[in-house]
Amino acid sequence: MKLPADKVAKLRSFYEGRGVCVTGGAGFIGGHLVDSLLSLGASIRVIDDLSNSNLEHLAGLIELEPERVRFVHGSVLDDEALAEAFEGCKTAFHLAALGSVPRSIQEPQRTWSVNATGTLRVLEAARVVKADRVVFASSSAVYGDQPELPKVETQAPSPMSPYAASKLAAEHLLSVWARCYGLSGVSLRYFNVFGPRQPADSAYAAVVAAFVKALLAGEQPVVYGDGQQTRDLTYVSNAVLATLLAGATPTRLAGQAVNIGTGRRVSILELATGLAQQCGVPHVQPSFQPDRAGDVKHSQADIALAKQLLGYEPVATLEDGLSDTVEWFRRSLAGT
């Protein structure tokens, strides 16, 4: 994953030597964020309970830079573990969560505990150490299935799942901590992030990872519904850049919610067809299953506010992101 040289130079001047904490840093987006923070010279503490991830990638970074990457094995519901992780922290990136709309419908109480109550505990840990800023990973799921496109931050949220409700509650907590305690923070509403190292082995796998894994095995990707639903698919380098900018911007951040996407949408059927071509199996057609509860029909980000507040613009196209992702999965499945 590469970021533009001009952006990297500006970010390095901010992050070099800075103490940062990444909750959920062993996960998919978190792991890529840790990679970038390490290259920018930050001193990083990661807290993760490894319930949705493993230490394979992070262990390599710790071995490479043991003084700059430290790991705390614990939950964001554990105040002692959080205190250890936040020691010396000036900037906090809160990515720890129980993801997936379908899983939240199966496990609503656990989803709420980790995503909402966990965020409250993270905010308190940040307040105790007087952190300069908290960047929270929210989700486009908070908008629900309203027909207006693209999604603009001024639209009233309408969550359709326990996952979406928990993310919206966490956004409100951040804005309240900003108002009551002066904590600088921002909620980034990620739109369907994908890329290398995204898990593909569970029933809750994200669509790109699930499709690529199936297609490379010569199997039919599973489409839920009619496939006409659309998504603003955001390559992980775009999400990481936005997250780094949110941590570093001198703009006053008081708990605002900001869309992070590309402003472009593609249908799930188009995605399946395009990936089949890239995977070398253009003849493989998807199989169809009924709609899943809680899934929205259409999603597309208006990213004007992200540009205004954070200086964010996408740096990778959908096509480049899909190509990189397919190549990574191909190498991974081949064991190279």
Side-chain angles (χ1 to χ4, degrees):
M1 186 189 75
K2 294 182 179 179
L3 299 177
D6 60 328
K7 298 284 189 185
V8 168
K10 291 179 181 179
L11 290 167
R12 181 174 286 113
S13 66
F14 178 83
Y15 285 109
E16 195 158 21
R18 175 169 286 260
V20 303
C21 177
V22 182
T23 75
F28 163 52
I29 302 175
H32 284 287
L33 178 62
V34 170
D35 287 345
S36 294
L37 287 166
L38 186 62
S39 72
L40 294 171
S43 177
I44 308 155
R45 294 204 181 197
V46 172
I47 178 170
D48 201 304
D49 67 2
L50 304 180
S51 61
N52 300 302
S53 55
N54 61 62
L55 265 182
E56 182 178 352
H57 177 69
L58 201 60
L61 300 183
I62 294 170
E63 185 176 355
L64 184 69
E65 293 278 3
E67 296 303 313
R68 290 206 294 125
V69 184
R70 300 188 180 184
F71 176 67
V72 176
H73 185 193
S75 167
V76 291
L77 296 170
D78 182 339
D79 291 334
E80 289 186 8
L82 279 173
E84 181 182 351
F86 271 75
E87 185 179 350
C89 168
K90 289 297 183 184
T91 305
F93 298 99
H94 177 34
L95 281 72
L98 196 66
S100 169
V101 165
R103 178 163 50 193
S104 77
I105 291 171
Q106 296 295 320
E107 302 180 64
Q109 186 169 339
R110 184 178 171 218
T111 297
W112 183 268
S113 295
V114 174
N115 296 0
T117 305
T119 297
L120 185 152
R121 291 176 182 270
V122 165
L123 293 173
E124 277 297 88
R127 186 165 75 96
V128 167
V129 299
K130 297 181 171 58
D132 294 336
R133 178 160 297 157
V134 174
V135 179
F136 168 59
S138 187
S139 169
S140 60
V142 302
Y143 288 110
D145 215 10
Q146 301 172 77
E148 296 86 359
L149 292 173
K151 304 298 184 185
V152 182
E153 293 86 351
T154 52
Q155 288 179 233
S158 182
M160 295 172 56
S161 66
Y163 170 75
S166 70
K167 284 293 189 179
L168 182 59
E171 286 187 10
H172 286 312
L173 286 169
L174 179 57
S175 65
V176 167
W177 257 245
R179 185 183 299 271
C180 293
Y181 306 113
L183 181 64
S184 177
V186 62
S187 294
L188 303 183
R189 291 176 176 169
Y190 293 146
F191 279 68
N192 296 94
V193 181
F194 73 95
R197 305 204 305 260
Q198 190 166 33
D201 296 325
S202 83
Y204 306 119
V207 63
V208 171
F211 279 13
V212 173
K213 183 188 177 189
L215 289 164
L216 288 176
E219 300 170 357
Q220 292 180 286
V222 177
V223 170
Y224 294 94
D226 60 10
Q228 297 305 316
Q229 61 268 43
T230 57
R231 296 290 181 267
D232 188 335
L233 296 167
T234 306
Y235 188 50
V236 67
S237 62
N238 293 325
V240 167
L241 175 60
T243 305
L244 292 167
L245 290 169
T249 181
T251 304
R252 183 176 180 273
L253 298 176
Q256 301 98 318
V258 180
N259 292 337
I260 303 301
T262 69
R264 172 188 173 188
R265 62 189 174 113
V266 62
S267 77
I268 298 302
L269 276 183
E270 288 177 272
L271 176 66
T273 300
L275 284 174
Q277 292 278 354
Q278 290 200 37
C279 292
V281 286
H283 59 283
V284 175
Q285 299 295 312
S287 64
F288 293 85
Q289 296 290 334
D291 285 311
R292 295 186 299 189
D295 276 356
V296 302
K297 188 69 176 176
H298 299 292
S299 187
Q300 180 185 8
D302 182 307
I303 56 174
L305 184 60
K307 183 175 182 179
Q308 175 191 332
L309 280 183
L310 311 178
Y312 164 76
E313 291 181 288
V315 293
T317 66
L318 172 62
E319 289 75 16
D320 288 343
L322 291 175
S323 177
D324 288 350
T325 302
V326 169
E327 184 56 31
W328 181 86
F329 272 100
R330 184 176 278 120
R331 291 196 310 268
S332 178
L333 291 171
T336 61

